[in-house]
Amino acid sequence: MLPTHMKQASQNLSLIGRRLVAEREGDLWQEETETLPWPLARQRRLYKNFADQFIRPRALEVDKHLAEFDPWPLWHEAARRGFQTEFLPWPFGTAKLLNLASMPSPLFATALKAEEFCAACGGMALMLLAHDLGMAPLLLSGTWTGFNWLRRIYSRIRAGENIAAAFAITEPGAGSDVEETEGAARARILSRAKKAPGGYLLNGRKCFISDGGIASYITFFAALENEGVESWTCFLVESPMKGFSRGRREKKMGQKAGDATELILEDVLVPEDHRIGPERSGWALNRNTLNYSRPAVGAIAVGIARGALERCLEFCRATRLGNKRLADYQDVQIELAEMTIQLTAARALVWHCGRYRLPFQGVSAAAKCFAGDTAFAICHKAMELMGDHGYLHGHGVEKAMRDSRLNQIYEGTNQINRLALIEDAWETDFARP
Amino acid sequence: MSEQLSREELAAFREMAASFAKKTIAPMLAHESPDGNLEMLPAILHQGQEAGLLASPRPEAAGRETGIWGSQTLTHGPAVSAMLLEELAVVCGGVAMCFHAQGMGTLPLLRAENPPSAPENVAAAFSEAFGIPGLFTLREPLQAAPAAVETVAREAGDGFELSGEKTFVYSAGRPEAYLVFARSAANGDWTCFLVPADAKGLQARNAGARAGLRAAGLEHLRFDRVKLDRSLLLRFQVPNREAVLEQLRLNLIGLSAIAAGIARGALASARQYAGERYQGGDLIIAHPAMQTLLAESDARIAACQAGVSRACQAEGHAEVRFREAVRAKLIIMPAAAGAVTDCLQIFGGYGYMEDYRMEKRLRDVSVLKSAGGAPRELRAILAQMIQEG
């Protein structure tokens, strides 16, 4: 160690001066974890351990041989640890009260989970995480019906059944429309709910539905007959129900282990007690669900980028160029530092959302956009640093690049999210006289 | 100075390549798989041969002169081949890479003073271990280079013995011979050999699964004391080092042209999609946010084409021309990749799915960013040239 290194040089300080110097022993991940309240720090370690043990080792194999992937064993491993029933505390679910009390936002742990799982594999993580998105409207509806369904579904999951949920808003002719105010007002929404004896008859198609291929419960949004999107109402559709079927499973560029499937409803009779919230409350419920989920989507991006950086770093340490390791070259170090800075900034913005008790549209959209764009850039930089090796599947970085690209698209494209931020703060900030 | 083709001649070449891409390559992509029906590739290459687009070392082949990096390159310069590659890449970057790789393997044979009899399918092997260390050794004493060229040719009996490894060797699929750049054990100078694929001691290994450009072959080669007849050593009119520099320059130009073509294809698809689909009651193209993406892409593509053109027109010493090509690739790749990803964004969720081939374009252009010289390597070369004035 050179005498000019801080650790050495700080010995020359006074006793109090030495006490004011940060002594860093752990890696950056550990240091950041230490900044969390201890229940959440513990939870973060649990997520990481699970991801390292069950997700990371299979990431490349599943991406390459998708047809052979059975999601349920992994699902049950996660469920056994309580990771799939975290919206309700004991005795209904596995949310830890200390976690909920540690941060203003009750869903902060979801963001931690998303990052850790996605650092291991964006696809398998999506398969596990999309379930939370499907369940969110039940919780956010603030109704007894919603709570009761949540409780019943959680009890089946805890009993070990193959049960997952999915969130269905996107339609073949209305993608971004259902995530934006102005577009929605003029959009052609085709999913319809018609009052019928005992409940509602649902007709329509939803596309790109994450976990649509495996979900037994779908929070399905449809407009009431002869009305527009403002009449959207949320229904809990069960599979199987008569008239419910699945269409094509999309062939995606990345995040492959998490399916994106078309759902088709033809005269599906949904009982009254499957309506989540009052009639016409669906549009607000959809938007609020996105407010809660977008920080988690930001965390997905952070996780994927972190995975790319970790794998790139591994390569830079293992690869010798001339008489030294790639990581020892100054220009490589500058690139690695830049990636770390960007990643830290993206995570900071995601964690910033956790400071709000109720996440709102502007801050959620900001986290989703910034983390998504940053992750894609980091993955590309990681690929480039590795030269030709960067695009080989075996190193896992090109997969991260493919995985990360989806984060600029789903839950509203990043263009839509930017406009969502403007809309949210228009009267308070941007258009203020 | 190279002879210039007339505007009409250039337009005819361009039209021929565009028509070939549309009629012959596009059907391959109609197949429902990430990179199209790659089983159609041999037939496409065969038709490319007949059309005179695929370079060939055979004297009777049409592509010997008119093919991409055929002998017309020696008389007219690289602009025609770059233009043809761009046109092919508008439809498929992977197939364009096949034509490029075949040309790279063929051109030194056409340039050589003593061209040995060569099979049809030849691939050029530049890279070793990590990226293209050959670039460094072009400019530094062998021992001081960050990564020296380790593939060495030793005189042995009546011929030579070749030992070492080459990595990331692109081809039009199943090469019958490799054009291998190695250093002479005697004096450290560059040498270039035609090595038959079935030579004893040569092991070719598939590089494995990769992000894009999957139509093209990609191998790593290992030479374990491969015995070569003296007739397989190529001699050039210019010093070997200059010949290698020129070869690397053309490789960089070709890769840049393919990137520009992929971006053009992406923009054409995005423009069409945006003019047909609706969002919020209006055509996508009517939304200023989408117009911004289209406009940015258009400007970036124009910059890519200008960069390729400038690199093609460079004159002077081999190093000066090489420098232009390095600059071009360094700037063109992020611009092309930026255009492709912006165009993909216009499709929303559909852009991420295989159906519209936008995700394929993104995968292909992402590979090109690192193939044949990653940004870090290119910056290092340029920095060294700047230092030396």
Side-chain angles (χ1 to χ4, degrees), chain B residues 45-238:
Chain B
L45 295 173
H46 180 69
Q47 289 180 60
Q49 272 173 356
E50 291 189 339
L53 275 170
L54 189 74
S56 170
R58 283 187 296 117
E60 70 278 13
R64 181 181 173 91
E65 187 191 346
T66 59
I68 290 169
W69 307 124
S71 62
Q72 48 89 7
T73 312
L74 304 174
T75 49
H76 301 311
V80 176
S81 292
M83 181 184 72
L84 297 176
L85 283 172
E86 184 186 315
E87 290 302 328
L88 299 187
V90 167
V91 173
C92 178
V95 172
M97 190 66 175
C98 289
F99 280 73
H100 173 62
Q102 171 68 13
M104 285 288 101
T106 301
L107 186 58
L109 293 166
L110 306 179
R111 194 192 293 277
E113 288 178 323
N114 62 330
S117 168
E120 184 67 44
N121 189 336
V122 185
F126 307 107
S127 303
E128 294 191 12
F130 180 76
I132 44 170
L135 281 178
F136 291 103
T137 47
L138 284 168
R139 308 200 45 80
E140 295 211 21
L142 287 171
Q143 296 310 314
V149 173
E150 300 290 348
T151 303
V152 173
R154 286 190 174 76
E155 297 231 18
D158 289 343
F160 294 89
E161 208 173 69
L162 196 66
S163 294
E165 291 185 18
K166 290 286 179 186
T167 54
F168 301 103
V169 178
Y170 277 95
S171 69
R174 296 197 183 146
E176 297 161 282
Y178 299 94
L179 206 72
V180 181
F181 294 92
R183 70 180 169 91
S184 160
N187 57 15
D189 194 10
W190 282 92
T191 56
C192 181
F193 290 92
L194 180 73
V195 182
D198 58 1
K200 195 178 171 193
L202 167 58
Q203 287 180 313
R205 179 168 56 88
N206 190 306
R210 59 202 140 108
L213 298 178
R214 292 174 183 157
L218 184 63
E219 296 173 307
H220 301 319
L221 306 178
R222 182 179 173 80
F223 306 93
D224 187 11
R225 301 177 72 175
V226 175
K227 292 200 176 1
L228 297 170
D229 190 85
R230 195 165 285 274
S231 66
L232 297 173
L233 171 66
L234 270 60
R235 287 198 309 274
F236 303 104
Q237 280 183 339
V238 294

Side-chain angles (χ1 to χ4, degrees), chain A residues 147-266:
Chain A
F147 167 77
N148 204 30
W149 274 115
L150 203 50
R151 180 185 64 75
R152 286 165 63 181
I153 294 169
Y154 274 6
S155 80
R156 292 184 67 185
I157 292 173
R158 295 173 76 188
E161 290 187 58
N162 287 355
I163 297 292
F167 178 67
I169 56 170
T170 306
E171 302 199 358
S176 297
D177 288 338
V178 296
E179 288 141 353
E180 191 226 353
T181 305
E182 285 188 26
R186 292 185 289 163
R188 291 182 307 141
I189 303 293
L190 298 178
S191 290
R192 295 278 159 194
K194 182 181 174 186
K195 203 87 176 85
Y200 296 83
L201 270 183
L202 296 188
N203 281 284
R205 282 170 181 257
K206 299 286 182 180
C207 62
F208 306 149
I209 305 306
S210 297
D211 276 356
I214 62 170
S216 313
Y217 293 96
I218 296 120
T219 39
F220 187 96
F221 291 75
L224 299 179
E225 204 180 14
N226 300 323
E227 295 187 50
V229 74
E230 69 284 353
S231 72
W232 250 18
T233 303
C234 178
F235 300 92
L236 189 68
V237 173
E238 291 188 61
S239 165
M241 269 181 167
K242 194 179 171 195
F244 173 86
S245 63
R246 294 185 167 93
R248 61 173 285 168
R249 176 178 175 152
E250 299 292 344
K251 293 182 176 173
K252 299 191 291 182
M253 181 188 189
Q255 299 196 17
K256 291 183 176 180
D259 73 88
T261 302
E262 185 182 27
L263 303 178
I264 303 161
L265 275 74
E266 292 169 320

Side-chain angles (χ1 to χ4, degrees), chain A residues 256-321:
Chain A
K256 291 183 176 180
D259 73 88
T261 302
E262 185 182 27
L263 303 178
I264 303 161
L265 275 74
E266 292 169 320
D267 284 336
V268 174
L269 180 63
V270 176
E272 186 80 41
D273 70 346
H274 284 57
R275 194 189 70 219
I276 308 302
E279 285 187 352
R280 300 180 185 79
S281 68
W283 179 247
L285 183 54
N286 160 46
R287 297 299 295 269
N288 203 32
T289 301
L290 294 174
N291 290 347
Y292 278 82
S293 67
R294 281 172 175 162
V297 172
I300 288 176
V302 170
I304 292 170
R306 198 184 98 202
L309 177 55
E310 287 169 354
R311 290 172 179 96
C312 173
L313 201 47
E314 209 173 288
F315 180 86
C316 291
R317 286 193 294 249
T319 304
R320 295 194 76 79
L321 187 59

Side-chain angles (χ1 to χ4, degrees), chain A residues 4 8 48 69 72 97 109 117 173 181 193 197 200 203 256 272 303 358 407 415:
Chain A
T4 45
Q8 188 77 20
K48 184 177 182 347
F69 174 56
W72 292 112
L97 290 174
F117 287 8
T181 305
Y200 296 83
N203 281 284
K256 291 183 176 180
E272 186 80 41
L358 302 175
N407 280 76
Q415 284 72 26

